[in-house]
Amino acid sequence: MDPLSVLKDFTVRGEADKIERVGANYRFGSEYSFPCATETAYRSKGGTLYTLEALVHYVKNQHLKHGEYMQSTVKSSVPAVTLPDRKPLLDYLTGKVASSDAIDYLLLQQQNAQSQKQNEEYRPDQDNSAFVSRESAIKDMEVEDFGKSGEDVDYIMLIRSNERPLKSRDAILQCKNRDFYSVLVNSTKREEERQRIESHQRKDGLVAKSRLMGAEERGIVGFSSGGGDDNGYDANPKSKLHFKAGKIGEGVPIILVPSAFQTLITIYNVKEFLEDGVFIENDVKAKEMKGLKPDCITVQKKFSRDRERVVTAYEVRDKPSALKPDDWDRVVAVFVLGKDWQFKGWPFKDHVEIFNKIIGFYMRFEDDSIESAKTVKQWNVKIISISKNKRHNDRAAALEVWEKLEEFVRSRSHS
């Protein structure tokens, strides 16, 4: 008999205590003896064959909890039966089920054939090693006198030569109707788009810095800390774009937008709206950007009723939690969502303080109900309405935002 069948027979009869280890062999009473390292025909869910040593140890320690059982295998230096295999294996060995899908019946037949060929049982007065390994079983399946060639043929090896592993690194690439080239192309495009956006962000930052530095050198600034005319020209060419403590901080001013899609303006479409005066739906812009959302972008006022006015740069961000304490001094505006949780974690005590130091904008469709703006009407924010379909009116709404923003920034700089 094969080792697995012998072990099952002893387990069903409740004679597992008669299985003794002598040296490198297991003795099953006075009937059989097998080497401990014998591969049985029971295959684990991981695909490997359990050795006789692993199964005997499990049968004798089946009462232990899994953690205790694992410790015992480590202590005894024997292979362990995995948790998913424990119950189905025990059901088979105790006879609760007659068969199992985990059994390699081909190997079972080979081992039985080898056992019958040897036709030997264990005798205490001699060395018994009726061990059938997988390799020896394959060799013993060779037959002689095949056709006229007289060559020995290994049928098992012939079968295995025609087999193909279902789950291997090479086989998955040979699957039909699978175009992995398109996967590579899409992955490459995604990486290129990410690098393009990062490059654009760096370029925007450099442009903004260059414009601000150039304005300082010419004595022309968008909003100064001192006097100047309405066109943005400073009477004193030596003035710098530095603001006193308590006013706008040094650097590019910051505009905050919500990260949620429930609002009309997000970091996806704010650039087109403020720079070009065109409103584009968030989902449309998100698809164009392949879902890669930038952390920060720079916007500039490229259009104005006053064509002599200097172009000023602003940073737009949607992650207030990433702002440093000094960054909050540069925040000049926020597009509000109309929800209190938008301001959670902000360094202000209430809405009054927020909208005294930062100008708020609430974007809405002009056809929306008044109830949609009920909450923000209690706040000191500017409500900007746009049409759902008339895109030619977007420019006027964007200009209204710019005028309110610049007016607020000038008043804050002079306060």
Side-chain angles (χ1 to χ4, degrees):
M1 293 179 67
D2 64 279
L4 182 62
S5 299
V6 172
L7 177 60
K8 179 180 180 181
D9 185 44
F10 270 67
T11 305
V12 170
R13 296 194 324 235
E15 297 179 352
D17 57 327
K18 293 184 179 181
I19 306 174
E20 298 180 353
R21 181 165 185 161
V22 180
N25 296 331
Y26 272 118
R27 291 181 179 176
F28 291 78
S30 60
E31 302 173 47
Y32 303 96
S33 176
F34 300 97
C36 301
T38 303
E39 282 185 334
T40 68
Y42 199 94
R43 191 177 297 278
S44 70
K45 293 186 183 298
T48 59
L49 294 172
Y50 281 117
T51 63
L52 181 60
E53 181 179 39
L55 299 188
V56 171
H57 183 80
Y58 171 61
V59 168
K60 292 191 173 187
N61 294 277
Q62 57 181 281
H63 60 282
L64 297 177
K65 294 182 179 180
H66 189 65
E68 298 173 345
Y69 163 71
M70 294 299 292
Q71 292 178 1
S72 70
T73 59
V74 174
K75 185 177 180 180
S76 302
S77 300
V78 298
V81 174
T82 62
L83 183 59
D85 288 327
R86 289 191 62 171
K87 187 178 185 306
L89 173 60
L90 189 61
D91 288 345
Y92 174 74
L93 292 178
T94 56
K96 290 184 179 180
V97 294
S99 62
S100 172
D101 293 337
I103 297 176
D104 187 338
Y105 287 98
L106 180 60
L107 177 59
L108 204 64
Q109 294 173 3
Q110 294 169 5
Q111 291 181 338
N112 279 324
Q114 177 69 10
S115 179
Q116 292 176 4
K117 182 178 178 180
Q118 291 181 351
N119 195 24
E120 291 182 359
E121 294 184 353
Y122 166 72
R123 296 189 181 91
D125 58 344
Q126 70 177 39
D127 182 23
N128 292 272
S129 299
F131 163 55
V132 184
S133 68
R134 191 175 184 83
E135 292 75 12
S136 63
I138 291 175
K139 291 180 180 179
D140 289 334
M141 288 298 290
E142 296 179 350
V143 296
E144 298 180 354
D145 195 18
F146 177 75
K148 296 180 180 180
S149 62
E151 296 180 356
D152 291 342
V153 179
D154 188 341
Y155 288 108
I156 303 303
M157 295 305 295
L158 284 175
I159 294 173
R160 292 192 176 281
S161 66
N162 292 321
E163 291 180 346
R164 186 186 68 177
L166 294 179
K167 296 181 180 180
S168 70
R169 296 179 181 178
D170 295 332
I172 195 171
L173 297 176
Q174 298 171 3
C175 294
K176 296 181 179 180
N177 302 323
R178 295 285 183 92
D179 182 10
F180 289 96
Y181 177 74
S182 61
V183 176
L184 175 62
V185 171
N186 291 334
S187 176
T188 303
K189 286 183 178 180
R190 188 178 181 88
E191 179 64 20
E192 290 176 352
E193 181 68 15
R194 184 186 66 80
Q195 293 179 0
R196 185 189 68 78
I197 291 177
E198 290 181 353
S199 176
H200 188 65
Q201 291 177 5
R202 290 193 295 269
K203 182 180 178 181
D204 277 350
L206 292 174
V207 170
K209 184 176 181 180
S210 175
R211 287 184 179 276
L212 290 172
M213 293 178 65
E216 291 180 2
E217 294 174 357
R218 297 191 306 272
I220 304 173
V221 294
F223 10 87
S224 63
S225 58
D229 62 17
D230 293 336
N231 292 326
Y233 291 91
D234 199 326
N236 181 8
K238 295 182 180 180
S239 64
K240 300 294 183 179
L241 190 63
H242 291 173
F243 303 93
K244 297 179 181 180
K247 300 180 181 180
I248 299 176
E250 298 181 3
V252 182
I254 296 175
I255 300 174
L256 295 177
V257 295
S259 59
F261 264 46
Q262 295 95 321
T263 184
L264 297 186
I265 297 298
T266 67
I267 203 165
Y268 286 110
N269 63 358
V270 66
K271 192 175 184 71
E272 283 76 11
F273 179 70
L274 291 182
E275 288 193 349
D276 304 324
V278 178
F279 172 77
I280 302 176
E281 295 284 352
N282 284 305
D283 54 349
V284 175
K285 285 299 298 180
K287 289 180 180 178
E288 291 179 2
M289 300 172 68
K290 309 294 185 182
L292 297 174
K293 185 174 70 172
D295 294 329
C296 173
I297 63 173
T298 301
V299 298
Q300 302 162 354
K301 185 180 179 183
K302 294 183 177 179
F303 58 92
S304 173
R305 295 191 179 99
D306 183 358
R307 298 187 180 276
E308 300 296 327
R309 195 168 188 80
V310 67
V311 175
T312 306
Y314 292 81
E315 287 183 7
V316 180
R317 304 188 185 186
D318 69 345
K319 294 181 180 178
S321 59
L323 295 179
K324 300 177 181 178
D326 292 342
D327 294 333
W328 281 102
D329 294 335
R330 296 192 286 129
V331 177
V332 295
V334 57
F335 283 83
V336 301
L337 181 61
K339 306 292 183 181
D340 288 326
W341 53 259
Q342 180 182 1
F343 310 106
K344 184 177 181 180
W346 286 35
F348 306 100
K349 62 182 180 180
D350 53 28
H351 298 103
V352 176
E353 183 180 3
I354 291 175
F355 298 119
N356 278 337
K357 296 184 178 180
I358 301 171
I359 185 171
F361 295 101
Y362 177 72
M363 297 291 301
R364 65 184 292 271
F365 286 125
E366 57 188 9
D367 297 333
D368 289 348
S369 66
I370 299 177
E371 290 298 322
S372 63
K374 184 177 181 181
T375 301
V376 296
K377 280 188 175 181
Q378 302 175 17
W379 303 342
N380 182 24
V381 302
K382 311 300 179 183
I383 299 177
I384 309 295
S385 300
I386 61 174
S387 173
K388 286 186 178 180
N389 304 311
K390 300 175 183 179
R391 296 279 67 83
H392 61 278
N393 293 336
D394 295 342
R395 184 183 179 91
L399 275 173
E400 184 179 0
V401 172
W402 280 116
E403 289 174 356
K404 299 289 185 183
L405 174 60
E406 292 176 341
E407 180 182 355
F408 173 81
V409 171
R410 283 196 298 271
S411 64
R412 178 173 164 180
S413 300
H414 297 160
S415 62

